[in-house]
Amino acid sequence: MIRMHGDDKIGHDFELYPSMTIRPTALAALAAIIISTLLALLLQLGLLGALGWGLGNVANELPLVAGANVRDANVGETKGLRFDPTRGAAVAQAANFLLPANNALGLILHTEDVSPGLRLTLGWLSTLDLRRPATTNVSLPSNADLQQSVVLLTGHPQWRERVTRMGLAVERTNRTESATVSALLARAEWLPASPLGGMRLLSTAWFSPAGNIITPNESASRLLPLALWLALIAACSLLLVAMLFRKKPEQRAEALRLSVGLLVAASVVLTVLANRWPGWTVPLGAGMAAALALLLLARSVALPQLPLTAAQRTALAALALGVAWMLAPLVSAVAMVPGLVIWLGSSQSTLSSRMPASTMRVIVLLAALPMLLLAAVAQGMIPAPSLLKPLVDPTGTLTTVATASGGLPGLALGVLMTHQLWPASAASTRWSSSGAAALMWAMTGALAVLTIPKIAALAAGSSTYIAVFFPALICLLLAAWPKFQSIAKTAAETVAVEAKSEQDLSTQALALLQSHGERVQATLLRGESGAAHAALAQMQRIAPAARATTLARLRVTLFEGDLVSAEAVATALQHSEPLATEERDALLDLAHRSNQQTRVLALAPGASLTERNQRMLAIAQLGTEGPSAALQTLTAWPDEHCFAAEIAELHLLGDDVAAAQMALVNSGIALDEPAGQAYIARLGMRVEGPQGHAQEISRMATYNPQLGVAQAALGELLQRTGNATGARARLLLAVKLDLALWPLNYRIAQLEQTLQGAATRSAATASGTDVQKNASTPTT
């Protein structure tokens, strides 16, 4: 269960028009859009191969020489070529040059007085194959005035290596006609594969009349349309803003609002300036009226400076729909059903307002069926019913609409991205069910216009195809609006969430959960923390509140040494009763590492009988009950050789030489080794006193600084000679060097008490001396 933190108020209303002052969030939004635009430009230039230096030492202009049916002509103050394909193909060529194909994006043709129905054939000879020239055919756009046309060669499969010759042939597409045709070529120049050349190509493709970019059929299209560019910039800029203010919810919301406003302005400006925007036509006006009607029907959206009642909003919406019907009946018909769904969802007096959330989700799914049915039938995925047999595939029309509409796909993607990144509190509603259902019906109506030929014939030009998607864009905004109305106060603002446990899982899911738990344990034993984290992530997806998931999380945190997080996990695990053996093992390990000896004593009886658990129990007993209890625990172990060295240390605490000798025999320590000699010196010191073994113990500790038993012997020697401080330091070093010497902690604790008592007595003596001095001093 996750608890909520923060204020009682979840959020506040979404401000559609924030105060227009220069703030850090505004600068961040502007910087994000600029950076995203530069990234998109680099991506486009990289796709085109326009990140190099361009032509280099090659001349910009292609030196064409007149051939058959071509004659020189004057174009203003310059010389040009007049192609006359009336009696046959008109050919001009250029030779004796060497151009790396990667240095040119294409060929720019400056043409004038071009008759309709002409085909241009380009041929070139490259070092790829000096015997076979490569050719491609394109349609030459007709024009009366001077015009620049770019024949895009980058992406052509044979535009490679080094080009040595190039020829241009102009011929008529219908050779049976007898009319005179011609074309005037002022000059031909290369488009360099440089950043300036790439930006010139983009400018020509987006903001020049249609047909100025000529792409051969064999070439792969590497030129991104303006709509895709705007969508890419919207996604990148919103992601950058969210990352910059990821821990500041209110600033992130304000920056997202400003980013969306700037993106909308940029989309409108670029869409108007783009060469394929149909202009402000009557169907587009109808689409805007229908969009306004949908906004008026949605009572959740507070329009600025329009304090209208529900009846007034409904009346104005009906009026806007009437205007849309007068301008373009097809566009208003698409908005009718979505408007009805939104009005029913916004009305507080209707039955839909009292429906449970699950019922509204079902309605949304049912509303998506007509759209999916239309798409499946149009694509030929399912047999078409008799009423739907005349459907056609709308893919080509959709592509044309997306390219011509410019900013609409980017705006739709921007709404989705903003909804995903919006810092709303967990208690807020994420989507509007009525808005989502209206979105499905709006998309169904738009697809019906594109797929049914009889309805598509009613569309007055391409602008109608764009206008029918305006209601869908508004419905998308209304569907995402509930989340925009809530802003999280803090980054940690959460709500109580019931997570799945073992009782909520099926038999198969429970078996899968257990297998992941076994994988966590096995990978930790091998020291593979990354694989353990991956298995734990799977367990948290299946059942985050399961005891097996909590146990796996505790094991991972213990493996990483994060005792603070492990304690938090253990708190949740301890409330589950009764504890399983493996759960007690993990909790026992945590209690031992946290030096909670009483907790170790409580958990040990139900834990598994392992050497590690038995040792942890003995350590806790040594600190709470003394050496005798620890001895009783270790000597009860079936294998008398397992804890022999530790039993000997416990006997040495009580100066029991005979029992310590017997335990050392079971430990298997050779007497001729330094460790055995150190034990002999420690036993002899207890029998004969420290004087006869002081020199030998000092020598062993000096020549074996990494031997824990030798340092323990020196520590005991210093303790017996009255040097408590030095003894404590040597015993601490011994335990650090050899963990099997943990019984020495009992002696270290005694030394610390002795040192603390001596310090207390010294302080008291010094205080008494000061009192006597003050009493003997005469007062005036």
Side-chain angles (χ1 to χ4, degrees):
M1 185 77 72
I2 305 173
R3 301 295 179 188
M4 178 180 287
H5 303 281
D7 300 334
D8 294 335
K9 187 178 180 182
I10 297 172
H12 53 79
D13 291 339
F14 176 69
E15 297 177 6
L16 185 60
Y17 298 95
S19 55
M20 300 304 293
T21 55
I22 302 300
R23 303 176 185 175
T25 51
L27 296 177
L30 182 60
I33 293 177
I34 294 174
I35 293 173
S36 301
T37 304
L38 293 177
L39 291 176
L41 180 61
L42 288 177
L43 174 63
Q44 176 64 91
L45 295 178
L47 289 175
L48 291 173
L51 293 176
W53 295 102
L55 298 177
N57 297 326
V58 181
N60 248 350
E61 190 169 344
L62 180 65
L64 290 171
V65 179
N69 298 325
V70 178
R71 67 179 186 274
D72 293 335
N74 293 326
V75 184
E77 299 179 356
T78 61
K79 293 286 187 178
L81 298 176
R82 170 71 70 174
F83 289 78
D84 186 7
T86 304
R87 295 181 298 273
V91 181
Q93 61 179 348
N96 300 326
F97 66 90
L98 190 63
L99 170 69
N102 292 333
N103 287 1
L105 300 176
L107 190 64
I108 304 177
L109 302 177
H110 298 261
T111 60
E112 186 179 355
D113 193 19
V114 179
S115 302
L118 294 182
R119 180 174 62 242
L120 175 67
T121 301
L122 270 76
W124 61 89
L125 194 65
S126 67
T127 55
L128 182 66
D129 191 348
L130 293 174
R131 294 175 298 177
R132 298 192 183 108
T135 60
T136 183
N137 297 322
V138 296
S139 297
L140 196 61
S142 60
N143 63 289
D145 300 326
L146 189 62
Q147 178 177 320
Q148 297 182 19
S149 300
V150 180
V151 182
L152 199 60
L153 295 175
T154 180
H156 195 284
Q158 293 180 313
W159 186 252
R160 292 185 294 170
E161 301 297 333
R162 295 174 181 267
V163 180
T164 59
R165 297 172 65 92
M166 174 161 278
L168 276 71
V170 178
E171 54 186 342
R172 63 200 318 170
T173 55
N174 190 357
R175 298 183 180 180
T176 60
E177 293 183 1
S178 59
T180 302
V181 293
S182 66
L184 180 60
L185 177 64
R187 74 176 191 276
E189 59 177 334
W190 298 111
L191 181 63
S194 63
L196 290 178
M199 287 187 283
R200 181 179 178 182
L201 178 62
L202 292 178
S203 172
T204 305
W206 293 345
F207 307 116
S208 297
N212 280 18
I213 301 295
I214 306 174
T215 304
N217 294 329
E218 304 90 346
S219 299
S221 180
R222 296 181 178 178
L223 194 61
L224 300 179
L226 179 61
L228 184 58
W229 239 67
L230 292 174
L232 181 62
I233 291 173
C236 291
S237 57
L238 293 176
L239 279 175
L240 287 175
V241 166
M243 291 174 60
L244 185 62
F245 296 103
R246 61 185 183 276
K247 293 184 179 180
K248 299 177 180 179
E250 293 183 343
Q251 289 84 347
R252 191 202 318 172
E254 183 179 0
L256 287 174
R257 283 196 297 265
L258 294 171
S259 299
V260 170
L262 292 173
L263 289 170
V264 169
S267 299
V268 171
V269 171
L270 293 177
T271 301
V272 171
L273 295 178
N275 59 317
R276 295 186 180 180
W277 177 248
W280 300 109
T281 61
V282 172
L284 291 179
M288 294 179 182
L292 177 61
L294 294 178
L295 284 175
L296 288 169
L297 290 173
R299 299 179 188 175
S300 59
V301 180
L303 298 178
Q305 299 179 353
L306 289 177
L308 301 175
T309 63
Q312 291 172 340
R313 291 174 70 110
T314 305
L316 287 177
L319 179 61
L321 280 176
V323 172
W325 182 269
M326 293 175 59
L327 296 177
L330 193 61
V331 176
S332 60
V334 171
M336 286 291 184
V337 176
L340 180 62
V341 173
I342 291 173
W343 180 74
L344 290 175
S346 300
S347 177
Q348 298 297 325
S349 60
T350 58
L351 181 62
S352 61
S353 62
R354 296 188 293 272
M355 286 183 180
S358 58
T359 306
M360 292 302 297
R361 293 192 190 99
V362 173
I363 293 176
V364 171
L365 294 177
L366 292 177
L369 291 179
M371 181 183 65
L372 297 177
L373 179 62
L374 281 175
V377 171
Q379 291 287 341
M381 300 174 63
I382 60 175
S386 58
L387 295 177
L388 300 179
K389 281 186 178 179
L391 293 184
V392 295
D393 187 2
T395 306
T397 310
L398 280 174
T399 304
T400 305
V401 169
T403 304
S405 63
L408 287 184
L411 292 178
L413 181 62
V415 172
L416 291 175
M417 291 289 298
T418 307
H419 178 272
Q420 185 66 25
L421 302 173
W422 191 259
S425 56
S428 63
T429 305
R430 287 318 197 236
W431 293 96
S432 168
S433 299
S434 60
L439 172 62
M440 300 303 176
W441 284 108
M443 288 298 298
T444 302
L447 288 177
V449 173
L450 299 181
T451 55
I452 301 177
K454 291 184 178 180
I455 299 179
L458 302 176
S462 60
S463 61
T464 306
Y465 292 140
I466 299 174
V468 295
F469 285 95
F470 281 7
L473 182 62
I474 296 301
C475 290
L476 176 62
L477 178 63
L478 296 178
W481 195 264
K483 189 177 180 181
F484 293 154
Q485 289 182 303
S486 176
I487 301 176
K489 292 298 182 183
T490 63
E493 188 178 74
T494 56
V495 69
V497 177
E498 290 292 343
K500 286 186 177 181
S501 61
E502 284 90 348
Q503 291 76 14
D504 303 320
L505 300 179
S506 62
T507 305
Q508 295 80 2
L510 186 60
L512 181 62
L513 184 71
Q514 293 173 350
S515 66
H516 284 304
E518 294 172 358
R519 182 185 169 196
V520 170
Q521 186 176 12
T523 51
L524 289 179
L525 290 176
R526 296 194 299 267
E528 302 172 359
S529 61
H533 273 287
L536 176 60
Q538 295 294 334
M539 298 179 72
Q540 290 176 331
R541 291 191 188 98
I542 297 172
R547 293 176 62 173
T549 306
T550 307
L551 176 61
R553 191 160 61 248
L554 178 59
R555 285 172 172 167
V556 171
T557 52
L558 286 174
F559 178 81
E560 295 175 346
D562 188 0
L563 297 184
V564 177
S565 300
E567 193 66 42
V569 176
T571 302
L573 187 62
Q574 283 178 333
H575 294 303
S576 304
E577 292 291 343
L579 290 173
T581 302
E582 54 187 5
E583 294 172 344
R584 285 182 173 270
D585 290 342
L587 293 173
L588 181 66
D589 188 9
L590 174 61
H592 170 70
R593 296 192 191 188
S594 304
N595 198 26
Q596 301 177 12
Q597 297 173 352
T598 306
R599 193 173 169 188
V600 170
L601 297 178
L603 292 169
S608 57
L609 293 176
T610 61
E611 296 179 9
R612 177 178 173 80
N613 290 350
Q614 200 77 355
R615 182 178 290 108
M616 288 189 292
L617 175 60
I619 292 173
Q621 290 174 334
L622 177 65
T624 56
E625 304 174 17
S628 58
L631 267 173
Q632 184 178 359
T633 298
L634 295 183
T635 53
W637 190 254
D639 185 5
E640 59 182 2
H641 303 285
C642 181
F643 300 112
E646 297 161 70
I647 292 174
E649 288 293 336
L650 290 172
H651 284 303
L652 287 175
L653 290 178
D655 294 336
D656 191 345
V657 177
Q661 285 178 332
M662 183 61 66
L664 288 173
V665 171
N666 292 330
S667 66
I669 299 175
L671 299 180
D672 55 346
E673 294 179 354
Q677 295 174 3
Y679 273 115
I680 292 175
R682 294 175 68 188
L683 293 172
M685 183 170 53
R686 283 166 171 77
V687 175
E688 302 171 359
Q691 292 79 11
H693 299 276
Q695 185 176 0
E696 180 185 1
I697 290 174
S698 299
R699 180 183 58 81
M700 282 191 300
T702 302
Y703 287 103
N704 300 280
Q706 300 299 320
L707 183 61
V709 182
Q711 300 298 331
L714 182 57
E716 292 177 347
L717 176 63
L718 294 174
Q719 181 183 7
R720 290 178 179 270
T721 56
N723 187 356
T725 304
R728 177 180 176 275
R730 289 292 175 171
L731 293 178
L732 285 172
L733 178 61
V735 175
K736 183 178 180 180
L737 293 173
D738 190 355
L739 296 180
L741 299 177
W742 56 265
L744 292 176
N745 287 318
Y746 186 77
R747 195 178 297 277
I748 293 172
Q750 292 177 335
L751 288 172
E752 289 176 347
Q753 292 178 358
T754 302
L755 292 173
Q756 186 177 3
T760 303
R761 289 192 298 271
S762 177
T765 303
S767 176
T769 304
D770 293 339
V771 170
Q772 290 179 359
K773 289 182 178 179
N774 293 335
S776 60
T777 302
T779 59
T780 304

